Amino acid sequence: MTAAPDRTRAPAAAPAADASSLPQGDLRLLQTALAQELLDSRIPARVAFTGHDGDPRVFPTHFLWTGHELVLGTYAGAYKIRAMRARPRVAVTIDTEGFPPRVLQIRGTATVTDVEGLVPEYAAAMRRHIGGAQAERFLSEADQPGLKMARIGIRPTWVGLLDFERRLPAALGGITA
């Protein structure tokens, strides 16, 4: 019998791409050292989506990068679930606070799946972002009978990467989209 794949761990990374030669929008930017560093960091992702009224919304969240998609977990009934099902195009940024800023931008399509109990990637993200006993305590309190969550998987369709050293925005004479 073959074991089910573990979707809570990223697969072995592909060889790092040379970021200097890749244009904004190129999915191979996800394979660069800087993108991998940001995807492996504890920095929350900020996810933008369009609400039912047509206005944009943004929420910060812990995430897990599987090597193919950014996975978030949220509790059933959340406004963002209904909105993303109706309008699945989203944008994400994972960026540093210090100078020079380092920024990973992802545009893609969100797929929302209902889950009974904890979303496995959500639990893995909480362990990575919060860590230790605090994460375990939070997860054990959340994992109660009848828990309903949603797994949000974001497949990148466009990737942007800025480091304000070698990859500057176009407005500063750098790379273009």
Side-chain angles (χ1 to χ4, degrees):
M1 179 190 286
T2 306
D6 181 1
R7 295 190 311 174
T8 65
R9 296 216 180 269
D18 177 17
S20 63
S21 65
L22 298 174
Q24 294 289 61
D26 195 315
L27 297 182
R28 292 176 294 171
L29 286 167
L30 290 168
Q31 299 170 6
T32 63
L34 177 55
Q36 290 295 307
E37 178 184 329
L38 292 168
L39 290 165
D40 288 339
S41 74
R42 292 180 166 184
I43 300 168
R46 292 167 185 86
V47 181
F49 66 100
T50 304
H52 292 298
D53 58 4
D55 283 343
R57 308 279 200 287
V58 177
F59 66 95
T61 187
H62 303 301
F63 65 90
L64 184 76
W65 174 246
T66 68
H68 304 288
E69 65 181 347
L70 203 64
V71 179
L72 331 166
T74 193
Y75 294 94
Y79 175 85
K80 60 188 160 231
I81 296 170
R82 294 185 308 278
M84 285 185 199
R85 282 186 168 136
R87 294 179 180 90
R89 293 182 48 150
V90 298
V92 178
T93 183
I94 303 167
D95 49 83
T96 62
E97 291 183 9
F99 189 84
R102 295 174 300 147
V103 182
L104 174 62
Q105 299 171 328
I106 297 172
R107 296 179 199 157
T109 303
T111 302
V112 181
T113 307
D114 295 323
V115 174
E116 296 289 330
L118 285 173
V119 172
E121 295 91 346
Y122 174 82
M126 293 302 285
R127 288 181 180 108
R128 183 169 61 96
H129 285 261
I130 296 172
Q134 185 178 5
E136 294 308 319
R137 186 171 42 258
F138 176 83
L139 291 169
S140 67
E141 290 172 6
D143 192 14
Q144 298 297 315
L147 174 66
K148 295 182 187 310
M149 292 190 75
R151 179 187 187 275
I152 302 169
I154 300 171
R155 291 271 177 166
T157 57
W158 184 96
V159 176
L161 190 63
L162 301 169
D163 65 9
F164 288 83
E165 293 175 321
R166 289 164 286 167
R167 290 187 63 88
L168 295 168
L172 298 177
I175 55 177
T176 58

